[in-house]
Amino acid sequence: MKLPYHTKSTILSCLFLTFAFICPSVSAATTASDYRQLGLSYRQQGRLAEAIAAMQKSVELEPDNIGGRVNLGWTQHLAGTEKEAAQSLLQAISKKPLFVPAYNALGIVYLVQGNLTAAVLVHTWAAILKPDDEVAYYNLSLALHRLKIYDLAIITANSSASLEPNNPHPLVAAAIAYWDSGNKKTAKQVYEKAVNLDSRYRDTTFLSSNLKQAAFSTNQIQIVNNIISK
């Protein structure tokens, strides 16, 4: 089962956090690393409140660990506390202004909040810092589509797809941009490429939850349904 695109990329960006084979229990956790590992374990179990508490403790013990702050902000985002997530990620950026994963996570927070201009600015800066950053291009496409800047949404989605050709999400992002630009034939052709990567993309029930997790808006998911049905 594929992870949602931005979720997978953010987790991969924090691999340097040294994940232990056996996560410490709460009583055994003493170091910042222990609490980071505990928080990640809780997050994988869907216990987000406990994950946030553990990650906050890790940041308290090791405030200069930028990856720990990004993990905290991302987990707050998953819990739906976008304001707190943005604060954590801005704190990470203030300590390390060129840390691309922090910008990617912050851009997603802004995208989900509907702060599209901020999302575009943040992800554009991430792409400038790292020109081969498929995450930034993907989320730029979703934001630009919602702003009705379809030509740029197509370009950025295709850039993301070329950088990560085995992930369906950039292809879906390109398809909805083609669709709303009036090029419905190309939209269907591009969407078929996503289906070829994962046949579940024909299933509207699967798409409803999967694309929501991948930062598609309700309206964008409806456009996907239109592509499938028409």
Side-chain angles (χ1 to χ4, degrees):
M1 178 179 178
K2 289 183 174 66
L3 286 168
Y5 187 71
H6 62 275
T7 302
K8 180 188 70 176
S9 301
T10 303
I11 292 173
L12 288 175
S13 74
C14 296
L15 279 178
F16 65 88
L17 292 176
T18 313
F19 212 97
F21 287 106
I22 300 176
C23 184
S25 66
V26 176
S27 59
T30 57
T31 67
S33 178
D34 289 341
Y35 281 105
R36 281 194 297 273
Q37 293 162 19
L38 186 63
L40 290 171
S41 177
Y42 282 145
R43 189 171 75 187
Q44 289 178 336
Q45 298 171 49
R47 299 162 62 181
L48 297 180
E50 292 159 293
I52 290 169
M55 290 176 180
Q56 286 173 329
K57 184 65 175 179
S58 79
V59 169
E60 178 185 327
L61 291 172
E62 199 171 42
D64 292 329
N65 188 300
I66 306 305
R69 288 185 180 275
V70 173
N71 266 327
L72 171 60
W74 183 251
T75 307
Q76 289 168 324
H77 159 67
L78 293 176
T81 55
E82 306 297 351
K83 181 178 179 180
E84 291 79 0
Q87 289 174 343
S88 295
L89 294 166
L90 286 168
Q91 288 169 0
I93 289 168
S94 71
K95 288 181 172 292
K96 193 172 183 180
L98 301 182
F99 192 58
V100 173
Y103 287 103
N104 280 333
L106 180 62
I108 292 165
V109 169
Y110 287 145
L111 180 62
V112 171
Q113 285 181 321
N115 191 345
L116 301 178
T117 300
V120 168
L121 289 173
V122 169
H123 281 303
T124 298
W125 181 238
I128 290 170
L129 292 175
K130 187 183 177 187
D132 61 348
D133 183 9
E134 70 279 1
V135 181
Y137 293 119
Y138 165 71
N139 288 298
L140 264 174
S141 179
L142 292 181
L144 289 164
H145 173 266
R146 290 171 64 179
L147 289 167
K148 304 185 187 303
I149 309 174
Y150 299 128
D151 288 345
L152 284 179
I154 290 167
I155 291 170
T156 49
N158 286 336
S159 295
S160 181
S162 68
L163 289 167
E164 193 171 25
N166 294 321
N167 194 307
H169 287 142
L171 293 170
V172 179
I176 64 172
Y178 279 118
W179 185 270
D180 275 353
S181 73
N183 193 342
K184 292 180 168 51
K185 180 179 179 181
T186 301
K188 284 184 169 291
Q189 291 172 339
V190 171
Y191 194 83
E192 191 62 28
K193 293 179 181 179
V195 172
N196 289 339
L197 290 174
D198 190 334
S199 62
R200 293 176 298 174
Y201 282 73
R202 292 190 190 279
D203 182 350
T204 56
T205 301
F206 167 78
L207 289 173
S208 180
S209 60
N210 179 274
L211 294 182
K212 182 178 180 180
Q213 292 176 32
F216 280 71
S217 69
T218 301
N219 181 63
Q220 288 172 327
I221 294 171
Q222 182 56 53
I223 295 168
V224 173
N225 290 332
N226 292 341
I227 294 172
I228 295 172
S229 63
K230 294 182 180 180

